[in-house]
């Protein structure tokens, strides 16, 4: 099966959920000072794939669609919750 641009962009959008889940596990399950730093790094690294997908969509003048909106809402929502939990 050929790897299409659409498949790559969908996977870039979906990857934000994996980064958020890994950061959540780091914050909640491990709970050490080092794990909190790693959690923040994972959370911020989670922004890179959706931003790349957004750049691809902008370059091709495509709409990000529901996946793009969902990815950004997940990142913003969990970022707010992580910040409130560790502020």
């Amino acid at each position: 099966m050929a790897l299409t641009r659409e498949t790559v962009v969908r996977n870039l959008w979906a990857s934000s959920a994996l980064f958020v889940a890994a950061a959540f596990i780091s914050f909640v399950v491990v709970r050490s000072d080092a794990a909190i730093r790693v959690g923040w790094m994972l959370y911020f690294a989670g922004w890179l794939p959706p931003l790349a997908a957004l750049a691809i969509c902008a370059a091709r003048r495509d709409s990000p669609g529901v996946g793009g909106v969902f990815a950004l809402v997940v990142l913003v929502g969990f970022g707010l919750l992580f910040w409130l939990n560790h502020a």
Side-chain angles (χ1 to χ4, degrees):
M1 180 189 258
L3 189 65
T4 64
R5 180 195 55 82
E6 181 180 349
T7 304
V8 171
V9 171
R10 283 185 183 182
N11 286 328
L12 286 173
W13 288 127
S15 67
S16 63
L18 296 174
F19 281 101
V20 166
F24 180 79
I25 290 169
S26 180
F27 286 136
V28 174
V29 175
V30 181
R31 288 187 180 186
S32 68
D33 289 337
I36 290 172
R37 284 192 299 274
V38 168
W40 282 115
M41 285 186 243
L42 286 168
Y43 169 74
F44 288 118
W47 279 91
L48 297 176
L51 291 176
L54 192 61
I56 291 169
C57 287
R60 299 192 54 100
R61 298 181 192 257
D62 287 340
S63 172
V66 176
V69 173
F70 178 75
L72 296 177
V73 167
V74 164
L75 284 167
V76 170
F78 275 93
L80 179 64
L81 291 174
F82 292 156
W83 176 71
L84 288 173
N85 194 28
H86 295 287

